[in-house]
Amino acid sequence: MFSFLDMINSSLSYFNLDAKLKSRIYIIIATLGDGYLVYVTFRLFMNHVWLRGFLYCLAMLAITYFLYLNFVFYFLGRTSRLDFLSPRFAKITGQKFNNGTTKTAPSFAAQQQLAEQLANNSNGVFSNAETIPAVVAIDDHEQRNLQKVVDELLEAGIFVNDYSGLSDQQIIDQYAETNQPIPALNARSVPPYFELVHDELRHRLEIYIGVNQMERRAVGHIVKIGLTDASAAHRRYQIYLANLAVTGGPNKIPGRRGSTIMTTADYSLNAQVAYRDRQK
């Protein structure tokens, strides 16, 4: 019986199913196994095999308890008042547990308004004639810093992982047009604080971002401004970071049968710099 259930459980990994649907199927399979365990326990007690029957009974009660918790969560969409273990496991693993309370997510319009406000006011106003795209390189240390800052901004609600408000079907349609994955991070993810610092020791223009200046981190460095090497441009011009957006990261691509699957990628930076001749 258990071998049969294990075979069904293993076969599910070959299908691209939604995580919630797959969890529900697991619950149904586990319920069948738990029912068989109830039958075995009953037969052991009927045959006066007390010790083994008692052990099977404990296992059956534990499995039934966890099945109940998962049923409430995956079928009813809430947590149970009898769930005493999850908060303790959350403390051990460092995860956060909401104790049955849910936070209301900001609307997409509010997210867009916040992003535009940050984009327009975070680092001053520059005319388009004075700005030029810059090429940003990110080493391993800077990539780790960038990941930490993005995590902080996501937790604070400044950045949003909403695939720019696209549904799975819209993601599939857009991928068919562009052949590019759709990042989870909103398209206008401008950090609330960013600045450009000349690192005299390594002779490069370092980009710092953060929730604020006090918590800033080095997340990348400019290697080219337009078609000019950054060092040469810095010797001739005063360089200012006019605009910066975080791109990349986890994304979605089409899966099987009209579904989507998530893939991972490093974050990157889109930078615009302003410049002024040093003689002025």
Side-chain angles (χ1 to χ4, degrees), residues 229-257:
D229 181 77
S231 299
H234 182 255
R235 287 193 296 269
R236 182 174 178 180
Y237 301 101
Q238 294 177 343
I239 308 298
Y240 307 91
L241 191 56
N243 202 356
L244 186 75
V246 182
T247 60
N251 54 73
K252 278 186 177 181
I253 60 174
R256 299 175 183 174
R257 299 182 180 180

PDB file of all heavy atoms in Angstrom, residues 229-257:
ATOM      1  N   ASP A 229      35.412  54.952 -21.823  1.00  0.00           N
ATOM      2  CA  ASP A 229      35.810  54.289 -20.591  1.00  0.00           C
ATOM      3  C   ASP A 229      35.539  55.199 -19.399  1.00  0.00           C
ATOM      4  O   ASP A 229      35.752  56.415 -19.467  1.00  0.00           O
ATOM      5  CB  ASP A 229      37.298  53.923 -20.659  1.00  0.00           C
ATOM      6  CG  ASP A 229      37.764  53.202 -19.420  1.00  0.00           C
ATOM      7  OD1 ASP A 229      37.470  52.008 -19.273  1.00  0.00           O
ATOM      8  OD2 ASP A 229      38.415  53.861 -18.580  1.00  0.00           O
ATOM      9  N   ALA A 230      35.083  54.609 -18.309  1.00  0.00           N
ATOM     10  CA  ALA A 230      34.668  55.399 -17.150  1.00  0.00           C
ATOM     11  C   ALA A 230      35.816  56.224 -16.588  1.00  0.00           C
ATOM     12  O   ALA A 230      35.625  57.378 -16.183  1.00  0.00           O
ATOM     13  CB  ALA A 230      34.099  54.484 -16.077  1.00  0.00           C
ATOM     14  N   SER A 231      37.017  55.668 -16.534  1.00  0.00           N
ATOM     15  CA  SER A 231      38.169  56.407 -15.987  1.00  0.00           C
ATOM     16  C   SER A 231      38.475  57.636 -16.829  1.00  0.00           C
ATOM     17  O   SER A 231      38.723  58.725 -16.300  1.00  0.00           O
ATOM     18  CB  SER A 231      39.390  55.489 -15.909  1.00  0.00           C
ATOM     19  OG  SER A 231      39.145  54.399 -15.054  1.00  0.00           O
ATOM     20  N   ALA A 232      38.466  57.474 -18.161  1.00  0.00           N
ATOM     21  CA  ALA A 232      38.740  58.606 -19.048  1.00  0.00           C
ATOM     22  C   ALA A 232      37.653  59.664 -18.934  1.00  0.00           C
ATOM     23  O   ALA A 232      37.939  60.872 -18.907  1.00  0.00           O
ATOM     24  CB  ALA A 232      38.850  58.114 -20.490  1.00  0.00           C
ATOM     25  N   ALA A 233      36.405  59.228 -18.852  1.00  0.00           N
ATOM     26  CA  ALA A 233      35.310  60.181 -18.718  1.00  0.00           C
ATOM     27  C   ALA A 233      35.393  60.930 -17.393  1.00  0.00           C
ATOM     28  O   ALA A 233      35.124  62.141 -17.334  1.00  0.00           O
ATOM     29  CB  ALA A 233      33.972  59.450 -18.821  1.00  0.00           C
ATOM     30  N   HIS A 234      35.817  60.231 -16.327  1.00  0.00           N
ATOM     31  CA  HIS A 234      35.905  60.884 -15.020  1.00  0.00           C
ATOM     32  C   HIS A 234      37.019  61.915 -14.980  1.00  0.00           C
ATOM     33  O   HIS A 234      36.909  62.928 -14.275  1.00  0.00           O
ATOM     34  CB  HIS A 234      36.141  59.821 -13.933  1.00  0.00           C
ATOM     35  CG  HIS A 234      36.189  60.380 -12.561  1.00  0.00           C
ATOM     36  ND1 HIS A 234      37.375  60.524 -11.854  1.00  0.00           N
ATOM     37  CD2 HIS A 234      35.210  60.873 -11.746  1.00  0.00           C
ATOM     38  CE1 HIS A 234      37.118  61.058 -10.669  1.00  0.00           C
ATOM     39  NE2 HIS A 234      35.821  61.268 -10.580  1.00  0.00           N
ATOM     40  N   ARG A 235      38.093  61.707 -15.725  1.00  0.00           N
ATOM     41  CA  ARG A 235      39.193  62.686 -15.763  1.00  0.00           C
ATOM     42  C   ARG A 235      38.758  63.968 -16.473  1.00  0.00           C
ATOM     43  O   ARG A 235      39.215  65.056 -16.121  1.00  0.00           O
ATOM     44  CB  ARG A 235      40.409  62.083 -16.466  1.00  0.00           C
ATOM     45  CG  ARG A 235      41.151  61.044 -15.643  1.00  0.00           C
ATOM     46  CD  ARG A 235      42.504  60.730 -16.246  1.00  0.00           C
ATOM     47  NE  ARG A 235      42.374  60.119 -17.562  1.00  0.00           N
ATOM     48  CZ  ARG A 235      42.302  58.801 -17.779  1.00  0.00           C
ATOM     49  NH1 ARG A 235      42.348  57.962 -16.747  1.00  0.00           N
ATOM     50  NH2 ARG A 235      42.194  58.330 -19.002  1.00  0.00           N
ATOM     51  N   ARG A 236      37.877  63.840 -17.435  1.00  0.00           N
ATOM     52  CA  ARG A 236      37.479  65.007 -18.225  1.00  0.00           C
ATOM     53  C   ARG A 236      36.224  65.677 -17.698  1.00  0.00           C
ATOM     54  O   ARG A 236      36.083  66.902 -17.789  1.00  0.00           O
ATOM     55  CB  ARG A 236      37.265  64.579 -19.675  1.00  0.00           C
ATOM     56  CG  ARG A 236      36.887  65.741 -20.583  1.00  0.00           C
ATOM     57  CD  ARG A 236      36.816  65.317 -22.026  1.00  0.00           C
ATOM     58  NE  ARG A 236      36.406  66.428 -22.891  1.00  0.00           N
ATOM     59  CZ  ARG A 236      36.260  66.331 -24.206  1.00  0.00           C
ATOM     60  NH1 ARG A 236      36.502  65.170 -24.811  1.00  0.00           N
ATOM     61  NH2 ARG A 236      35.879  67.380 -24.903  1.00  0.00           N
ATOM     62  N   TYR A 237      35.297  64.881 -17.128  1.00  0.00           N
ATOM     63  CA  TYR A 237      34.008  65.429 -16.727  1.00  0.00           C
ATOM     64  C   TYR A 237      33.731  65.165 -15.243  1.00  0.00           C
ATOM     65  O   TYR A 237      34.274  64.227 -14.649  1.00  0.00           O
ATOM     66  CB  TYR A 237      32.869  64.797 -17.545  1.00  0.00           C
ATOM     67  CG  TYR A 237      32.984  65.006 -19.037  1.00  0.00           C
ATOM     68  CD1 TYR A 237      33.473  63.992 -19.851  1.00  0.00           C
ATOM     69  CD2 TYR A 237      32.591  66.204 -19.623  1.00  0.00           C
ATOM     70  CE1 TYR A 237      33.572  64.164 -21.218  1.00  0.00           C
ATOM     71  CE2 TYR A 237      32.688  66.386 -20.994  1.00  0.00           C
ATOM     72  CZ  TYR A 237      33.185  65.360 -21.791  1.00  0.00           C
ATOM     73  OH  TYR A 237      33.290  65.556 -23.148  1.00  0.00           O
ATOM     74  N   GLN A 238      32.882  65.996 -14.690  1.00  0.00           N
ATOM     75  CA  GLN A 238      32.291  65.710 -13.389  1.00  0.00           C
ATOM     76  C   GLN A 238      31.072  64.820 -13.636  1.00  0.00           C
ATOM     77  O   GLN A 238      30.168  65.194 -14.388  1.00  0.00           O
ATOM     78  CB  GLN A 238      31.876  66.994 -12.685  1.00  0.00           C
ATOM     79  CG  GLN A 238      33.051  67.888 -12.308  1.00  0.00           C
ATOM     80  CD  GLN A 238      32.611  69.193 -11.682  1.00  0.00           C
ATOM     81  OE1 GLN A 238      31.446  69.578 -11.809  1.00  0.00           O
ATOM     82  NE2 GLN A 238      33.515  69.885 -11.015  1.00  0.00           N
ATOM     83  N   ILE A 239      31.068  63.632 -13.001  1.00  0.00           N
ATOM     84  CA  ILE A 239      30.038  62.634 -13.275  1.00  0.00           C
ATOM     85  C   ILE A 239      29.062  62.575 -12.097  1.00  0.00           C
ATOM     86  O   ILE A 239      29.482  62.527 -10.937  1.00  0.00           O
ATOM     87  CB  ILE A 239      30.664  61.241 -13.517  1.00  0.00           C
ATOM     88  CG1 ILE A 239      31.758  61.317 -14.586  1.00  0.00           C
ATOM     89  CG2 ILE A 239      29.593  60.237 -13.914  1.00  0.00           C
ATOM     90  CD1 ILE A 239      31.268  61.753 -15.943  1.00  0.00           C
ATOM     91  N   TYR A 240      27.769  62.569 -12.407  1.00  0.00           N
ATOM     92  CA  TYR A 240      26.724  62.470 -11.381  1.00  0.00           C
ATOM     93  C   TYR A 240      25.762  61.334 -11.765  1.00  0.00           C
ATOM     94  O   TYR A 240      25.466  61.137 -12.945  1.00  0.00           O
ATOM     95  CB  TYR A 240      25.947  63.782 -11.265  1.00  0.00           C
ATOM     96  CG  TYR A 240      26.817  64.989 -11.055  1.00  0.00           C
ATOM     97  CD1 TYR A 240      27.281  65.726 -12.147  1.00  0.00           C
ATOM     98  CD2 TYR A 240      27.181  65.393  -9.773  1.00  0.00           C
ATOM     99  CE1 TYR A 240      28.090  66.833 -11.967  1.00  0.00           C
ATOM    100  CE2 TYR A 240      27.988  66.517  -9.582  1.00  0.00           C
ATOM    101  CZ  TYR A 240      28.440  67.226 -10.682  1.00  0.00           C
ATOM    102  OH  TYR A 240      29.239  68.325 -10.505  1.00  0.00           O
ATOM    103  N   LEU A 241      25.296  60.621 -10.765  1.00  0.00           N
ATOM    104  CA  LEU A 241      24.333  59.551 -11.007  1.00  0.00           C
ATOM    105  C   LEU A 241      22.932  60.150 -11.045  1.00  0.00           C
ATOM    106  O   LEU A 241      22.381  60.562 -10.014  1.00  0.00           O
ATOM    107  CB  LEU A 241      24.438  58.493  -9.907  1.00  0.00           C
ATOM    108  CG  LEU A 241      23.681  57.179 -10.135  1.00  0.00           C
ATOM    109  CD1 LEU A 241      24.089  56.520 -11.443  1.00  0.00           C
ATOM    110  CD2 LEU A 241      23.925  56.224  -8.973  1.00  0.00           C
ATOM    111  N   ALA A 242      22.341  60.223 -12.250  1.00  0.00           N
ATOM    112  CA  ALA A 242      21.046  60.883 -12.418  1.00  0.00           C
ATOM    113  C   ALA A 242      19.881  59.963 -12.113  1.00  0.00           C
ATOM    114  O   ALA A 242      18.889  60.387 -11.509  1.00  0.00           O
ATOM    115  CB  ALA A 242      20.930  61.415 -13.851  1.00  0.00           C
ATOM    116  N   ASN A 243      19.966  58.727 -12.520  1.00  0.00           N
ATOM    117  CA  ASN A 243      18.857  57.805 -12.320  1.00  0.00           C
ATOM    118  C   ASN A 243      19.390  56.384 -12.244  1.00  0.00           C
ATOM    119  O   ASN A 243      20.406  56.057 -12.861  1.00  0.00           O
ATOM    120  CB  ASN A 243      17.830  57.924 -13.452  1.00  0.00           C
ATOM    121  CG  ASN A 243      16.462  57.423 -13.031  1.00  0.00           C
ATOM    122  OD1 ASN A 243      16.290  56.920 -11.919  1.00  0.00           O
ATOM    123  ND2 ASN A 243      15.482  57.553 -13.906  1.00  0.00           N
ATOM    124  N   LEU A 244      18.693  55.552 -11.490  1.00  0.00           N
ATOM    125  CA  LEU A 244      19.140  54.175 -11.298  1.00  0.00           C
ATOM    126  C   LEU A 244      17.924  53.291 -11.044  1.00  0.00           C
ATOM    127  O   LEU A 244      17.031  53.665 -10.283  1.00  0.00           O
ATOM    128  CB  LEU A 244      20.105  54.071 -10.109  1.00  0.00           C
ATOM    129  CG  LEU A 244      20.746  52.704  -9.888  1.00  0.00           C
ATOM    130  CD1 LEU A 244      21.830  52.448 -10.921  1.00  0.00           C
ATOM    131  CD2 LEU A 244      21.326  52.610  -8.478  1.00  0.00           C
ATOM    132  N   ALA A 245      17.888  52.139 -11.682  1.00  0.00           N
ATOM    133  CA  ALA A 245      16.808  51.175 -11.475  1.00  0.00           C
ATOM    134  C   ALA A 245      17.414  49.785 -11.345  1.00  0.00           C
ATOM    135  O   ALA A 245      18.390  49.453 -12.012  1.00  0.00           O
ATOM    136  CB  ALA A 245      15.813  51.213 -12.626  1.00  0.00           C
ATOM    137  N   VAL A 246      16.832  48.993 -10.466  1.00  0.00           N
ATOM    138  CA  VAL A 246      17.243  47.603 -10.289  1.00  0.00           C
ATOM    139  C   VAL A 246      16.410  46.729 -11.214  1.00  0.00           C
ATOM    140  O   VAL A 246      15.185  46.851 -11.264  1.00  0.00           O
ATOM    141  CB  VAL A 246      17.071  47.146  -8.831  1.00  0.00           C
ATOM    142  CG1 VAL A 246      17.541  45.709  -8.660  1.00  0.00           C
ATOM    143  CG2 VAL A 246      17.830  48.068  -7.889  1.00  0.00           C
ATOM    144  N   THR A 247      17.064  45.840 -11.959  1.00  0.00           N
ATOM    145  CA  THR A 247      16.376  44.949 -12.888  1.00  0.00           C
ATOM    146  C   THR A 247      16.834  43.513 -12.635  1.00  0.00           C
ATOM    147  O   THR A 247      17.718  43.254 -11.829  1.00  0.00           O
ATOM    148  CB  THR A 247      16.671  45.338 -14.343  1.00  0.00           C
ATOM    149  OG1 THR A 247      18.093  45.243 -14.576  1.00  0.00           O
ATOM    150  CG2 THR A 247      16.219  46.759 -14.630  1.00  0.00           C
ATOM    151  N   GLY A 248      16.228  42.585 -13.377  1.00  0.00           N
ATOM    152  CA  GLY A 248      16.630  41.180 -13.282  1.00  0.00           C
ATOM    153  C   GLY A 248      16.072  40.493 -12.054  1.00  0.00           C
ATOM    154  O   GLY A 248      15.019  40.855 -11.527  1.00  0.00           O
ATOM    155  N   GLY A 249      16.791  39.471 -11.581  1.00  0.00           N
ATOM    156  CA  GLY A 249      16.345  38.696 -10.434  1.00  0.00           C
ATOM    157  C   GLY A 249      15.428  37.559 -10.850  1.00  0.00           C
ATOM    158  O   GLY A 249      15.346  37.194 -12.032  1.00  0.00           O
ATOM    159  N   PRO A 250      14.715  36.948  -9.893  1.00  0.00           N
ATOM    160  CA  PRO A 250      13.790  35.848 -10.213  1.00  0.00           C
ATOM    161  C   PRO A 250      12.783  36.265 -11.280  1.00  0.00           C
ATOM    162  O   PRO A 250      12.323  37.398 -11.303  1.00  0.00           O
ATOM    163  CB  PRO A 250      13.096  35.569  -8.872  1.00  0.00           C
ATOM    164  CG  PRO A 250      14.057  36.067  -7.843  1.00  0.00           C
ATOM    165  CD  PRO A 250      14.753  37.242  -8.446  1.00  0.00           C
ATOM    166  N   ASN A 251      12.443  35.334 -12.159  1.00  0.00           N
ATOM    167  CA  ASN A 251      11.544  35.653 -13.259  1.00  0.00           C
ATOM    168  C   ASN A 251      10.700  34.442 -13.625  1.00  0.00           C
ATOM    169  O   ASN A 251      10.928  33.341 -13.124  1.00  0.00           O
ATOM    170  CB  ASN A 251      12.346  36.138 -14.478  1.00  0.00           C
ATOM    171  CG  ASN A 251      13.427  35.147 -14.875  1.00  0.00           C
ATOM    172  OD1 ASN A 251      13.136  34.084 -15.430  1.00  0.00           O
ATOM    173  ND2 ASN A 251      14.683  35.472 -14.588  1.00  0.00           N
ATOM    174  N   LYS A 252       9.751  34.674 -14.507  1.00  0.00           N
ATOM    175  CA  LYS A 252       8.871  33.600 -14.981  1.00  0.00           C
ATOM    176  C   LYS A 252       8.991  33.436 -16.487  1.00  0.00           C
ATOM    177  O   LYS A 252       9.160  34.413 -17.223  1.00  0.00           O
ATOM    178  CB  LYS A 252       7.409  33.886 -14.622  1.00  0.00           C
ATOM    179  CG  LYS A 252       7.024  33.524 -13.205  1.00  0.00           C
ATOM    180  CD  LYS A 252       5.526  33.694 -12.986  1.00  0.00           C
ATOM    181  CE  LYS A 252       5.119  33.253 -11.582  1.00  0.00           C
ATOM    182  NZ  LYS A 252       3.644  33.399 -11.371  1.00  0.00           N
ATOM    183  N   ILE A 253       8.885  32.176 -16.927  1.00  0.00           N
ATOM    184  CA  ILE A 253       8.831  31.846 -18.343  1.00  0.00           C
ATOM    185  C   ILE A 253       7.675  30.869 -18.544  1.00  0.00           C
ATOM    186  O   ILE A 253       7.222  30.231 -17.593  1.00  0.00           O
ATOM    187  CB  ILE A 253      10.157  31.228 -18.837  1.00  0.00           C
ATOM    188  CG1 ILE A 253      10.456  29.933 -18.062  1.00  0.00           C
ATOM    189  CG2 ILE A 253      11.308  32.212 -18.703  1.00  0.00           C
ATOM    190  CD1 ILE A 253      11.671  29.187 -18.585  1.00  0.00           C
ATOM    191  N   PRO A 254       7.183  30.726 -19.775  1.00  0.00           N
ATOM    192  CA  PRO A 254       6.082  29.779 -20.002  1.00  0.00           C
ATOM    193  C   PRO A 254       6.497  28.348 -19.683  1.00  0.00           C
ATOM    194  O   PRO A 254       7.625  27.929 -19.947  1.00  0.00           O
ATOM    195  CB  PRO A 254       5.783  29.948 -21.500  1.00  0.00           C
ATOM    196  CG  PRO A 254       6.289  31.300 -21.832  1.00  0.00           C
ATOM    197  CD  PRO A 254       7.490  31.520 -20.978  1.00  0.00           C
ATOM    198  N   GLY A 255       5.569  27.604 -19.084  1.00  0.00           N
ATOM    199  CA  GLY A 255       5.775  26.188 -18.827  1.00  0.00           C
ATOM    200  C   GLY A 255       4.905  25.367 -19.752  1.00  0.00           C
ATOM    201  O   GLY A 255       4.665  25.737 -20.903  1.00  0.00           O
ATOM    202  N   ARG A 256       4.403  24.271 -19.252  1.00  0.00           N
ATOM    203  CA  ARG A 256       3.574  23.388 -20.053  1.00  0.00           C
ATOM    204  C   ARG A 256       2.099  23.716 -19.861  1.00  0.00           C
ATOM    205  O   ARG A 256       1.672  24.142 -18.795  1.00  0.00           O
ATOM    206  CB  ARG A 256       3.814  21.928 -19.667  1.00  0.00           C
ATOM    207  CG  ARG A 256       5.254  21.461 -19.874  1.00  0.00           C
ATOM    208  CD  ARG A 256       5.407  20.041 -19.356  1.00  0.00           C
ATOM    209  NE  ARG A 256       6.779  19.574 -19.472  1.00  0.00           N
ATOM    210  CZ  ARG A 256       7.218  18.409 -18.991  1.00  0.00           C
ATOM    211  NH1 ARG A 256       6.369  17.618 -18.346  1.00  0.00           N
ATOM    212  NH2 ARG A 256       8.473  18.044 -19.138  1.00  0.00           N
ATOM    213  N   ARG A 257       1.337  23.520 -20.935  1.00  0.00           N
ATOM    214  CA  ARG A 257      -0.120  23.603 -20.875  1.00  0.00           C
ATOM    215  C   ARG A 257      -0.630  24.916 -20.291  1.00  0.00           C
ATOM    216  O   ARG A 257      -1.465  24.942 -19.388  1.00  0.00           O
ATOM    217  CB  ARG A 257      -0.693  22.425 -20.091  1.00  0.00           C
ATOM    218  CG  ARG A 257      -0.369  21.066 -20.714  1.00  0.00           C
ATOM    219  CD  ARG A 257      -0.993  19.938 -19.920  1.00  0.00           C
ATOM    220  NE  ARG A 257      -0.678  18.639 -20.504  1.00  0.00           N
ATOM    221  CZ  ARG A 257      -1.091  17.478 -20.004  1.00  0.00           C
ATOM    222  NH1 ARG A 257      -1.819  17.477 -18.900  1.00  0.00           N
ATOM    223  NH2 ARG A 257      -0.768  16.331 -20.579  1.00  0.00           N
TER     224      ARG A 257
END
